[in-house]
C-alpha cells in the first residue's frame, strides 16, 4: 500500500502553481458561464493536462471543483437570504435551476429547499 502511494507521481512545482492559478480564476469568475476550455486558456495549458493536474492535486476535475465552489456559495445564500432558488442558482453561475438542484443534491445530500428549511429552522 505504502509503495503504491509513493509511486503516485507528484506534480511539478510549476504544474501545482498553475492549478492554484486555475483555482483563483474559478473563485473570481464562478458567477459567469465557465468551461474547462476557459479555465485551461486562462492558465495556458491544454484542457486534458488541466484535468490531469487537477486530478493529481485535488482528486477532482476542474468542472467538479467549479460546481462544488458554486454550491458552497449557494449554501451561504440559501441560509442567509430569502432570494428564490432560481435567483440563487443564476447568481452563483448555474445556467438553470434544475441543473443547480441536481448538483446541489449530489454535493450536499439534500435539495436546496430542504437545506434552506433546515438552516432557517435551526436559526430560530
Amino acid at each position: 500500500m505504502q509503495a503504491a502511494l509513493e509511486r503516485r507521481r507528484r506534480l511539478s512545482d510549476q504544474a501545482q502553481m498553475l492549478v492554484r492559478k486555475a483555482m483563483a480564476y474559478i473563485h473570481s469568475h464562478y458567477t459567469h458561464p465557465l468551461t474547462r476550455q476557459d479555465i485551461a486558456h486562462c492558465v495556458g495549458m491544454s484542457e486534458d493536462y488541466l484535468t490531469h493536474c487537477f486530478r493529481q492535486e485535488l482528486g477532482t476535475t476542474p468542472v467538479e471543483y467549479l460546481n462544488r465552489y458554486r454550491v458552497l456559495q449557494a449554501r451561504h445564500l440559501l441560509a442567509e437570504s430569502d432570494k428564490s432558488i432560481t435567483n440563487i442558482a443564476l447568481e452563483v453561475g448555474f445556467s438553470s435551476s434544475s441543473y443547480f438542484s441536481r448538483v446541489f443534491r449530489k454535493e450536499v445530500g439534500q435539495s436546496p429547499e430542504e437545506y434552506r428549511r433546515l438552516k432557517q429552522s435551526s436559526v430560530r
Side-chain angles (χ1 to χ4, degrees):
M1 176 76 172
Q2 186 63 31
L5 290 174
E6 288 174 10
R7 275 197 308 266
R8 183 174 162 227
R9 208 172 100 232
R10 294 289 304 150
L11 293 175
S12 69
D13 289 344
Q14 181 182 10
Q16 288 177 358
M17 184 182 72
L18 291 173
V19 168
R20 287 185 183 28
K21 184 177 176 184
M23 290 167 62
Y25 181 80
I26 289 169
H27 292 188
S28 298
H29 296 87
Y30 72 93
T31 59
H32 305 289
L34 278 183
T35 64
R36 188 174 74 138
Q37 182 179 15
D38 297 331
I39 300 163
H41 180 76
C42 157
V43 296
M45 60 173 54
S46 75
E47 294 175 49
D48 289 342
Y49 188 61
L50 173 70
T51 298
H52 168 78
C53 290
F54 258 75
R55 282 193 191 281
Q56 287 286 110
E57 192 70 9
L58 304 173
T60 190
T61 69
V63 173
E64 288 169 345
Y65 182 85
L66 169 63
N67 283 340
R68 281 191 188 131
Y69 190 75
R70 286 174 169 166
V71 166
L72 178 66
Q73 302 310 309
R75 288 170 72 166
H76 295 299
L77 292 171
L78 287 165
E80 299 167 7
S81 78
D82 290 330
K83 295 177 182 178
S84 74
I85 303 297
T86 299
N87 284 346
I88 289 173
L90 296 174
E91 191 172 317
V92 299
F94 284 95
S95 56
S96 76
S97 60
S98 61
Y99 180 58
F100 165 66
S101 292
R102 279 196 313 276
V103 172
F104 192 95
R105 181 179 291 279
K106 181 181 170 206
E107 289 295 318
V108 180
Q110 55 194 181
S111 72
E113 295 84 359
E114 292 167 326
Y115 181 84
R116 172 178 268 169
R117 196 170 42 252
L118 288 170
K119 284 295 177 185
Q120 290 182 345
S121 68
S122 69
V123 172
R124 293 184 184 126

